[in-house]
Amino acid sequence: MRVLALVALYGLVACNEGEGQAGPVIAAEGPSAGVQAQPGLAVRPETRSFRDWYAACDNGNTCFAYTGTDAGGWLMVRQMAGPEASPEVLVGGSPFSDDGTDGVLTLTLDDERQTLSPGSSETRSHVVPDDAVRDTLRRLASARALAIGTDEAASALPTAGASAALLWIDERQGRLNTTAALIRGGDRPASTVPPAPNLPRVVAATPVDQGDFARASDPGEEGAEAGLTLPAAIEALPEVKQCRADTAFSPYLQKAVLAARLSPDTKLWGVPCDAGAYNAMYDFYLTGPDGSNPRKADFPSWEPRERTEGDIGGDGLVNPVFDAATNSLRHFPRARGIGDCGTIQSWVWTGDAFVLTRETFMGECWGMPSTLWPTVWRTR
């Protein structure tokens, strides 16, 4: 029996939407970290750890440096690529308490405290005001103490590794010794910073009416109530018979089939194969319009990757949701129930295949909302 390994966080240490030329487009790999990106070429995503800080840069060379604690919240520096981009400093408190994340939140570096501005209401984040970001980064790089909170209560965050993480981003983006550097600036003008590389182009196939499949796009919500049955040709597959045996403990799960019309000639079927806590794993098949000729659907990563025992979902997807308006499929293996850590990937159907259009990840459960997670892969 395939067991959904909830403690093995799929893709958390590995580490997105589309328009342009039809069909999948493979991104050109750029240089490794520390080498300036050539204009026009996407670069290779990379993640690093620096003691208590983490850093990541995606294929468009947008970079992130961040730290946090399980109970006290988090702080992130976000820097897009290119000479005109300005850094942002975002802060969030604990998701389990009303510790100021909905009110006035402060950031204290050593003995100097500053009031933060409210960020997006959807993310419960706060931000350092634009005119204070550069000074905050300078102090952060040498700070011995860092805390976020309110006048009544503050939570300490780590400082060890902050300077190294920010310096790595300066190196990666070609900002060293320029006026646009995060921490190691110089006299070179910002115009010498390399431009942001071009992202891969992907175009979705034209969406089609879902008809009686409309309620089966999100099996976690209405899939079991949609009343759809799998085609006999899929039910007859040995691996699907095994899925049915493995999910016999939950008749509700067995009914929660994901189904979607990708085109007049192609249907997508998601078969529930296992579940545990807040994750449900699905195997996917493509068929003709009448449910015939089933074949396994492929969801490629941004690089060739061998799955290992313990990967959440194995060859399938976890907590999948289909968006008919964009002909895209998303999966989200949750590392814990509130959804503040894990990996989110999205693929679009081009008419011939599924192509990865976006990947974000957060390997630490600090309460950071998924809309702010570092990106690993993006497309246009």
Side-chain angles (χ1 to χ4, degrees):
M1 173 178 178
R2 288 174 295 180
V3 177
L4 185 60
L6 300 179
V7 295
L9 307 183
Y10 163 69
L12 295 189
V13 295
C15 274
N16 299 338
E17 312 262 20
E19 61 182 334
Q21 299 290 330
V25 179
I26 304 300
E29 285 192 357
S32 61
V35 181
Q36 293 183 2
Q38 300 177 38
L41 292 182
V43 297
R44 183 177 181 81
E46 191 170 2
T47 62
R48 291 288 187 92
S49 60
F50 300 92
R51 300 186 68 177
D52 297 323
W53 277 67
Y54 300 88
C57 294
D58 66 19
N59 61 319
N61 225 18
T62 289
C63 297
F64 310 80
Y66 50 100
T67 192
T69 66
D70 293 342
W74 53 271
L75 183 148
M76 171 185 281
V77 177
R78 181 168 59 190
Q79 173 67 73
M80 298 181 68
E84 305 298 328
S86 298
E88 302 169 275
V89 180
L90 303 95
V91 177
S94 168
F96 300 110
S97 65
D98 296 325
D99 55 1
T101 50
D102 291 322
V104 177
L105 198 67
T106 60
L107 171 65
T108 303
L109 291 166
D110 293 330
D111 295 326
E112 188 171 344
R113 178 182 298 179
Q114 62 186 110
T115 299
L116 304 174
S117 300
S120 167
S121 60
E122 296 179 356
T123 64
R124 295 189 74 205
S125 65
H126 283 66
V127 299
V128 172
D130 292 344
D131 59 359
V133 168
R134 292 289 180 185
D135 182 62
T136 299
L137 293 175
R138 176 186 58 79
R139 292 187 291 114
L140 176 61
S142 59
R144 304 185 66 176
L146 165 64
I148 60 172
T150 64
D151 290 337
E152 292 76 24
S155 298
L157 299 182
T159 59
S163 178
L166 297 174
L167 179 61
W168 179 73
I169 292 175
D170 276 344
E171 292 176 333
R172 166 96 180 194
Q173 295 186 338
R175 298 182 182 279
L176 287 177
N177 302 316
T178 73
T179 58
L182 294 176
I183 61 169
R184 187 173 292 181
D187 297 331
R188 289 172 51 213
S191 59
T192 61
V193 175
N198 291 328
L199 296 172
R201 286 175 169 265
V202 179
V203 63
T206 302
V208 297
D209 181 65
Q210 294 299 298
D212 57 348
F213 281 11
R215 296 182 63 199
S217 61
D218 183 352
E221 295 293 333
E222 295 183 313
E225 286 80 18
L228 294 178
T229 57
L230 289 171
I234 292 181
E235 290 278 17
L237 296 173
E239 59 268 33
V240 173
K241 291 182 179 179
Q242 185 64 56
C243 284
R244 290 317 206 185
D246 291 348
T247 55
F249 64 90
S250 174
Y252 183 90
L253 178 63
Q254 289 192 327
K255 294 178 182 178
V257 171
L258 187 150
R261 288 184 168 85
L262 302 178
S263 72
D265 300 321
T266 306
K267 290 181 177 179
L268 176 70
W269 300 91
V271 182
C273 285
D274 211 338
Y278 30 78
N279 288 308
M281 187 275 283
Y282 282 69
D283 281 354
F284 280 87
Y285 299 87
L286 300 171
T287 71
D290 59 354
S292 63
N293 188 31
R295 63 263 189 208
K296 205 73 176 284
D298 183 39
F299 302 99
S301 181
W302 56 268
E303 68 173 352
R305 175 177 178 270
E306 290 187 7
R307 295 185 182 273
T308 59
E309 186 175 354
D311 276 346
I312 288 182
D315 291 329
L317 303 184
V318 181
N319 303 328
V321 176
F322 180 76
D323 183 354
T326 58
N327 237 339
S328 62
L329 188 68
R330 186 188 83 154
H331 95 138
F332 181 6
R334 293 170 180 254
R336 66 174 177 177
I338 65 172
D340 63 334
C341 43
T343 298
I344 300 176
Q345 294 171 297
S346 296
W347 293 264
V348 72
W349 176 253
T350 65
D352 300 309
F354 281 102
V355 176
L356 183 69
T357 55
R358 185 174 181 85
E359 181 174 328
T360 63
F361 85 104
M362 175 45 61
E364 305 293 333
C365 301
W366 293 332
M368 185 183 296
S370 60
T371 50
L372 295 179
W373 290 359
T375 53
V376 177
W377 187 260
R378 294 179 290 134
T379 60
R380 289 182 293 159

